[in-house]
Amino acid sequence: LVDYFGGLSKLDNPYIYFDETQIPKGHLKAARKLFSKDYFDCLSCHQQGEKKPEGPPEGWAPDLTLAKNRLNPHWIVKWLRDPQKLQTGSKMPSFFPGGPEDILGGKDEIQIEAMRDYIMVLGQARSTGQNGGASSRQ
């Protein structure tokens, strides 16, 4: 069905578009902090390429290095705002409102967008350095 409607709309991939060149300066560095053990500790649950979280596989969350090829960036923002609103009973905690005051001025929406930007470049080796070194090894 997706291919059919995509063909009707004449879009190659109607549900995924993300322009990495438009990532605001500082977003990726801030998001790495938010992902860290000192803040949201995202990788305690989420897979990141070959790097697996501790514990049994049934407790693992989706591999974030696949996000760029599988998820709509707008959906990621909605998910980060309130995972329970989109999937009742999700194991994903809600960190917003109330993101850390010391990152991006404590502004929830900017922190959410920074996390979305970081997720969309995870696992991609880029020569520009734009992504602050985001790779599957981080």
Side-chain angles (χ1 to χ4, degrees), residues 8 22 35 52 54 60 90 97 115-116 125 129 134-135 137:
L8 288 177
Q22 299 301 310
F35 265 65
K52 308 296 183 198
E54 293 184 19
W60 297 350
S90 171
M115 291 179 71
R116 182 255 344 258
S135 73
R137 293 185 292 271

Side-chain angles (χ1 to χ4, degrees), residues 10-120:
K10 297 180 179 35
L11 296 174
D12 291 333
N13 196 339
Y15 49 92
I16 300 174
Y17 176 76
F18 186 76
D19 185 356
E20 296 171 23
T21 66
Q22 299 301 310
I23 295 174
K25 186 175 182 168
H27 267 208
L28 299 176
K29 183 178 179 181
R32 277 194 301 277
K33 285 183 183 180
L34 292 169
F35 265 65
S36 76
K37 290 181 182 194
D38 295 330
Y39 292 90
F40 300 154
D41 200 12
C42 302
L43 301 179
S44 67
C45 297
H46 283 278
Q47 299 178 69
Q48 190 179 10
E50 295 297 318
K51 186 177 180 181
K52 308 296 183 198
E54 293 184 19
E58 57 270 10
W60 297 350
D63 185 343
L64 295 176
T65 62
L66 303 175
K68 179 167 177 60
N69 297 320
R70 299 180 71 185
L71 300 177
N72 180 312
H74 301 292
W75 182 86
I76 294 172
V77 169
K78 288 180 182 180
W79 177 261
L80 290 171
R81 274 189 202 125
D82 190 354
Q84 295 297 318
K85 185 175 181 180
L86 296 178
Q87 184 181 5
T88 303
S90 171
K91 292 181 185 179
M92 172 83 177
S94 180
F95 299 107
F96 302 99
E101 292 293 321
D102 61 328
I103 297 179
L104 297 172
K107 296 178 181 169
D108 292 344
E109 284 304 307
I110 297 173
Q111 291 176 2
I112 289 169
E113 290 171 6
M115 291 179 71
R116 182 255 344 258
D117 295 347
Y118 187 65
I119 290 168
M120 293 301 287

Side-chain angles (χ1 to χ4, degrees), residues 118-137:
Y118 187 65
I119 290 168
M120 293 301 287
V121 299
L122 274 173
Q124 298 178 41
R126 292 186 20 192
S127 60
T128 65
Q130 164 77 27
N131 70 2
S135 73
S136 61
R137 293 185 292 271

